[in-house]
Short mmCIF file of all heavy atoms in Angstrom, two decimals:
data_model
loop_
_atom_site.label_atom_id
_atom_site.label_comp_id
_atom_site.label_asym_id
_atom_site.label_seq_id
_atom_site.Cartn_x
_atom_site.Cartn_y
_atom_site.Cartn_z
N GLY I 1 78.13 112.93 120.61
CA GLY I 1 77.31 112.23 119.62
C GLY I 1 78.05 111.43 118.62
O GLY I 1 77.65 111.16 117.54
N GLY I 2 79.23 110.99 119.03
CA GLY I 2 80.09 110.10 118.08
C GLY I 2 81.12 110.86 117.27
O GLY I 2 81.15 112.29 117.43
N PHE I 3 81.73 110.26 116.30
CA PHE I 3 82.64 111.04 115.34
C PHE I 3 81.81 111.94 114.51
O PHE I 3 80.68 111.53 113.95
CB PHE I 3 83.23 109.83 114.44
CG PHE I 3 84.25 109.01 115.23
CD1 PHE I 3 83.86 107.85 115.79
CD2 PHE I 3 85.55 109.44 115.40
CE1 PHE I 3 84.77 107.04 116.51
CE2 PHE I 3 86.51 108.66 116.04
CZ PHE I 3 86.21 107.39 116.56
N TYR I 4 82.33 113.06 114.25
CA TYR I 4 81.55 114.08 113.54
C TYR I 4 81.60 113.81 112.06
O TYR I 4 82.52 113.37 111.43
CB TYR I 4 82.40 115.47 113.71
CG TYR I 4 81.75 116.54 113.20
CD1 TYR I 4 80.51 117.16 113.75
CD2 TYR I 4 82.08 117.23 112.01
CE1 TYR I 4 79.83 118.30 113.21
CE2 TYR I 4 81.48 118.45 111.55
CZ TYR I 4 80.41 118.77 112.11
OH TYR I 4 79.71 120.01 111.57
N THR I 5 80.29 113.78 111.46
CA THR I 5 80.23 113.30 110.14
C THR I 5 79.96 114.38 109.08
O THR I 5 79.90 113.93 107.95
CB THR I 5 78.79 112.35 110.15
OG1 THR I 5 77.77 113.20 110.50
CG2 THR I 5 78.98 111.13 111.02
N GLU I 6 79.95 115.63 109.46
CA GLU I 6 79.69 116.71 108.55
C GLU I 6 80.91 117.43 108.02
O GLU I 6 80.93 118.56 107.74
CB GLU I 6 78.77 117.71 109.25
CG GLU I 6 77.41 117.14 109.57
CD GLU I 6 76.67 116.56 108.39
OE1 GLU I 6 76.63 117.10 107.27
OE2 GLU I 6 76.13 115.41 108.59
N ALA I 7 82.18 116.73 108.12
CA ALA I 7 83.25 117.39 107.53
C ALA I 7 84.23 116.39 106.82
O ALA I 7 84.22 115.03 107.18
CB ALA I 7 84.12 118.00 108.69
N ILE I 8 85.01 116.73 105.86
CA ILE I 8 85.92 115.75 105.21
C ILE I 8 87.09 115.45 106.06
O ILE I 8 87.87 114.64 105.79
CB ILE I 8 86.25 116.23 103.78
CG1 ILE I 8 86.93 117.62 103.87
CG2 ILE I 8 84.98 116.38 102.89
CD1 ILE I 8 87.49 118.10 102.55
N THR I 9 87.34 116.27 107.05
CA THR I 9 88.41 116.13 108.08
C THR I 9 87.72 115.83 109.42
O THR I 9 87.68 116.60 110.24
CB THR I 9 89.41 117.26 108.18
OG1 THR I 9 88.54 118.50 108.31
CG2 THR I 9 90.30 117.34 106.96
N GLU I 10 87.03 114.66 109.41
CA GLU I 10 86.21 114.33 110.52
C GLU I 10 87.02 114.24 111.88
O GLU I 10 86.49 114.49 113.01
CB GLU I 10 85.46 112.94 110.25
CG GLU I 10 86.18 111.72 110.50
CD GLU I 10 87.44 111.45 109.62
OE1 GLU I 10 87.31 112.03 108.34
OE2 GLU I 10 88.37 110.85 109.96
N ASP I 11 88.37 113.78 111.74
CA ASP I 11 89.09 113.85 112.94
C ASP I 11 89.34 114.95 113.53
O ASP I 11 89.37 115.18 114.73
CB ASP I 11 90.54 112.91 112.43
CG ASP I 11 91.07 113.42 111.18
OD1 ASP I 11 90.59 114.48 110.64
OD2 ASP I 11 91.90 112.73 110.65
N PHE I 12 89.78 116.02 112.66
CA PHE I 12 90.00 117.38 113.21
C PHE I 12 88.81 117.91 113.81
O PHE I 12 88.92 118.44 114.99
CB PHE I 12 90.41 118.39 111.99
CG PHE I 12 90.75 119.72 112.26
CD1 PHE I 12 91.82 120.07 113.08
CD2 PHE I 12 89.86 120.73 111.88
CE1 PHE I 12 92.22 121.23 113.42
CE2 PHE I 12 90.12 122.04 112.24
CZ PHE I 12 91.45 122.32 112.86
N ALA I 13 87.68 117.81 113.26
CA ALA I 13 86.35 118.24 113.88
C ALA I 13 86.03 117.55 115.24
O ALA I 13 85.62 118.15 116.15
CB ALA I 13 85.30 118.01 112.91
N THR I 14 86.16 116.21 115.19
CA THR I 14 85.81 115.37 116.38
C THR I 14 86.79 115.85 117.52
O THR I 14 86.36 115.93 118.70
CB THR I 14 85.96 113.89 116.09
OG1 THR I 14 85.11 113.60 114.99
CG2 THR I 14 85.89 113.07 117.35
N GLY I 15 88.04 116.12 117.39
CA GLY I 15 89.03 116.43 118.35
C GLY I 15 88.59 117.68 118.99
O GLY I 15 88.63 117.92 120.22
N ILE I 16 88.20 118.74 118.17
CA ILE I 16 87.77 120.02 118.57
C ILE I 16 86.51 119.86 119.52
O ILE I 16 86.43 120.53 120.64
CB ILE I 16 87.46 121.06 117.48
CG1 ILE I 16 88.81 121.32 116.76
CG2 ILE I 16 86.74 122.26 118.03
CD1 ILE I 16 88.49 122.19 115.54
N LEU I 17 85.49 119.15 119.05
CA LEU I 17 84.31 118.96 119.87
C LEU I 17 84.67 118.20 121.29
O LEU I 17 83.90 118.56 122.21
CB LEU I 17 83.36 118.06 119.07
CG LEU I 17 82.65 118.80 117.81
CD1 LEU I 17 81.79 117.85 117.06
CD2 LEU I 17 81.88 120.06 118.20
N ILE I 18 85.51 117.34 121.28
CA ILE I 18 85.89 116.65 122.50
C ILE I 18 86.43 117.57 123.50
O ILE I 18 86.25 117.65 124.72
CB ILE I 18 86.85 115.50 122.19
CG1 ILE I 18 86.07 114.22 121.58
CG2 ILE I 18 87.50 115.02 123.52
CD1 ILE I 18 87.02 113.13 121.10
N GLN I 19 87.27 118.57 122.94
CA GLN I 19 87.88 119.55 123.86
C GLN I 19 86.93 120.61 124.23
O GLN I 19 86.98 120.93 125.43
CB GLN I 19 89.06 120.28 123.17
CG GLN I 19 90.26 119.33 123.06
CD GLN I 19 91.23 119.72 121.88
OE1 GLN I 19 91.07 120.82 121.30
NE2 GLN I 19 92.22 118.77 121.53
N ARG I 20 86.00 120.94 123.35
CA ARG I 20 84.91 121.84 123.77
C ARG I 20 83.91 121.19 124.83
O ARG I 20 83.32 121.93 125.61
CB ARG I 20 84.10 122.27 122.59
CG ARG I 20 84.99 123.08 121.59
CD ARG I 20 84.17 123.49 120.24
NE ARG I 20 82.90 124.25 120.69
CZ ARG I 20 82.20 124.95 119.66
NH1 ARG I 20 82.50 124.82 118.49
NH2 ARG I 20 81.22 125.67 120.09
N ALA I 21 83.86 119.94 124.92
CA ALA I 21 83.06 119.26 125.93
C ALA I 21 83.76 119.24 127.36
O ALA I 21 83.21 118.73 128.13
CB ALA I 21 82.66 117.92 125.45
N GLY I 22 85.02 119.65 127.36
CA GLY I 22 85.68 119.69 128.65
C GLY I 22 86.68 118.68 128.83
O GLY I 22 87.20 118.55 129.95
N PHE I 23 86.95 117.87 128.01
CA PHE I 23 87.84 116.75 128.13
C PHE I 23 89.45 117.23 127.84
O PHE I 23 89.60 118.10 126.96
CB PHE I 23 87.57 115.59 127.15
CG PHE I 23 86.28 114.88 127.50
CD1 PHE I 23 85.10 115.31 127.24
CD2 PHE I 23 86.38 113.79 128.45
CE1 PHE I 23 83.95 114.67 127.53
CE2 PHE I 23 85.20 113.01 128.82
CZ PHE I 23 84.07 113.53 128.38
N VAL I 24 90.26 116.71 128.54
CA VAL I 24 91.65 116.95 128.38
C VAL I 24 92.32 115.99 127.37
O VAL I 24 92.09 114.79 127.40
CB VAL I 24 92.47 116.86 129.69
CG1 VAL I 24 93.97 117.00 129.59
CG2 VAL I 24 91.98 117.94 130.67
N CYS I 25 93.06 116.54 126.39
CA CYS I 25 93.65 115.72 125.37
C CYS I 25 95.10 115.81 125.33
O CYS I 25 95.64 116.87 125.53
CB CYS I 25 93.00 116.12 123.97
SG CYS I 25 91.32 116.04 123.90
N LEU I 26 95.88 114.72 125.16
CA LEU I 26 97.36 114.67 125.22
C LEU I 26 98.03 114.45 123.92
O LEU I 26 97.50 113.59 123.20
CB LEU I 26 97.83 113.79 126.35
CG LEU I 26 97.00 113.75 127.61
CD1 LEU I 26 97.61 112.73 128.57
CD2 LEU I 26 97.17 115.16 128.25
N GLY I 27 99.20 115.10 123.63
CA GLY I 27 100.00 114.60 122.45
C GLY I 27 101.28 114.16 122.93
O GLY I 27 101.96 114.75 123.74
N THR I 28 101.76 112.95 122.49
CA THR I 28 103.00 112.37 122.71
C THR I 28 103.97 112.53 121.54
O THR I 28 103.60 112.62 120.42
CB THR I 28 102.89 111.06 123.20
OG1 THR I 28 102.67 110.12 122.02
CG2 THR I 28 101.87 110.87 124.37
N SER I 29 105.27 112.52 121.86
CA SER I 29 106.14 112.71 120.71
C SER I 29 106.78 111.24 120.34
O SER I 29 107.68 111.22 119.50
CB SER I 29 107.33 113.46 121.07
OG SER I 29 107.95 113.22 122.31
N ASP I 30 106.36 110.22 121.04
CA ASP I 30 106.97 108.84 120.88
C ASP I 30 106.24 108.19 119.77
O ASP I 30 105.02 107.86 119.98
CB ASP I 30 106.90 108.08 122.20
CG ASP I 30 107.66 106.82 122.18
OD1 ASP I 30 108.45 106.46 121.11
OD2 ASP I 30 107.47 105.87 122.97
N PRO I 31 106.85 107.89 118.56
CA PRO I 31 106.13 107.18 117.59
C PRO I 31 105.82 105.62 117.92
O PRO I 31 106.80 104.90 118.28
CB PRO I 31 106.96 107.21 116.33
CG PRO I 31 108.37 107.45 116.80
CD PRO I 31 108.23 108.20 118.32
N LEU I 32 104.61 105.18 117.98
CA LEU I 32 104.24 103.88 118.20
C LEU I 32 103.54 103.01 117.26
O LEU I 32 103.15 101.91 117.47
CB LEU I 32 103.23 103.97 119.57
CG LEU I 32 103.82 104.75 120.73
CD1 LEU I 32 102.78 104.93 121.79
CD2 LEU I 32 104.99 103.74 121.37
N ALA I 33 103.44 103.74 116.05
CA ALA I 33 102.86 103.01 114.87
C ALA I 33 103.49 103.53 113.71
O ALA I 33 103.68 104.73 113.68
CB ALA I 33 101.28 103.07 114.91
N SER I 34 103.55 102.69 112.54
CA SER I 34 104.14 103.29 111.33
C SER I 34 103.36 102.79 110.21
O SER I 34 102.77 101.69 110.11
CB SER I 34 105.56 102.76 111.18
OG SER I 34 106.50 103.13 112.20
N GLY I 35 103.14 103.67 109.22
CA GLY I 35 102.42 103.32 108.05
C GLY I 35 102.99 103.81 106.71
O GLY I 35 104.22 104.13 106.66
N LEU I 36 102.26 103.97 105.66
CA LEU I 36 102.71 104.43 104.30
C LEU I 36 102.47 105.86 104.03
O LEU I 36 101.28 106.13 104.11
CB LEU I 36 102.21 103.53 103.23
CG LEU I 36 102.88 102.21 102.97
CD1 LEU I 36 102.03 101.33 101.98
CD2 LEU I 36 104.20 102.45 102.28
N SER I 37 103.36 106.59 103.65
CA SER I 37 103.00 107.97 103.22
C SER I 37 102.73 107.90 101.78
O SER I 37 103.01 106.88 101.04
CB SER I 37 104.30 108.88 103.58
OG SER I 37 105.37 108.43 102.72
N PRO I 38 102.06 108.86 101.11
CA PRO I 38 101.75 108.86 99.71
C PRO I 38 102.85 108.51 98.83
O PRO I 38 103.94 109.11 99.04
CB PRO I 38 101.15 110.28 99.43
CG PRO I 38 100.68 110.69 100.76
CD PRO I 38 101.56 110.12 101.78
N THR I 39 102.68 107.78 97.83
CA THR I 39 103.89 107.27 97.03
C THR I 39 103.94 107.88 95.62
O THR I 39 104.73 107.48 94.82
CB THR I 39 103.85 105.81 96.97
OG1 THR I 39 102.66 105.22 96.48
CG2 THR I 39 104.20 105.10 98.36
N ASP I 40 102.96 108.83 95.39
CA ASP I 40 102.95 109.45 94.03
C ASP I 40 102.39 110.87 94.15
O ASP I 40 101.73 111.20 95.10
CB ASP I 40 102.14 108.70 93.02
CG ASP I 40 100.65 108.63 93.30
OD1 ASP I 40 100.28 107.66 94.09
OD2 ASP I 40 99.94 109.47 92.85
N ILE I 41 102.75 111.70 93.29
CA ILE I 41 102.42 113.12 93.34
C ILE I 41 100.96 113.29 93.39
O ILE I 41 100.49 114.22 94.15
CB ILE I 41 103.17 113.95 92.19
CG1 ILE I 41 104.73 113.87 92.47
CG2 ILE I 41 102.71 115.44 92.17
CD1 ILE I 41 105.52 114.52 91.36
N PRO I 42 100.20 112.86 92.47
CA PRO I 42 98.73 113.10 92.42
C PRO I 42 98.01 112.79 93.80
O PRO I 42 97.26 113.51 94.21
CB PRO I 42 98.09 112.19 91.32
CG PRO I 42 99.21 111.97 90.48
CD PRO I 42 100.56 111.89 91.32
N ASN I 43 98.43 111.56 94.48
CA ASN I 43 97.89 111.32 95.79
C ASN I 43 98.39 112.29 96.75
O ASN I 43 97.59 112.44 97.86
CB ASN I 43 98.17 109.83 96.10
CG ASN I 43 97.15 108.94 95.46
OD1 ASN I 43 95.99 109.08 95.84
ND2 ASN I 43 97.56 107.99 94.75
N LEU I 44 99.59 112.73 96.85
CA LEU I 44 100.15 113.73 97.75
C LEU I 44 99.30 114.98 97.67
O LEU I 44 98.79 115.47 98.65
CB LEU I 44 101.58 113.85 97.47
CG LEU I 44 102.10 114.99 98.33
CD1 LEU I 44 102.21 114.67 99.77
CD2 LEU I 44 103.60 115.46 97.74
#
């Protein structure tokens, strides 16, 4: 039914539901994108 909307960590919940639906999910160790980590203590 799409991305799970009833959680503040919608990604975590969506992943669980996909696996519960019988799909295989893979994790790789090769970094392929880079972003910004939090730059101040309150946001961390």
Side-chain angles (χ1 to χ4, degrees):
F3 292 90
Y4 188 73
T5 59
E6 300 301 317
I8 60 174
T9 47
E10 80 296 330
D11 42 12
F12 181 67
T14 299
I16 294 174
L17 290 174
I18 288 174
Q19 289 158 11
R20 289 178 65 171
F23 290 86
V24 174
C25 302
L26 311 178
T28 71
S29 58
D30 186 13
L32 299 171
S34 297
L36 274 171
S37 62
T39 54
D40 64 273
I41 294 173
N43 273 298
L44 174 68

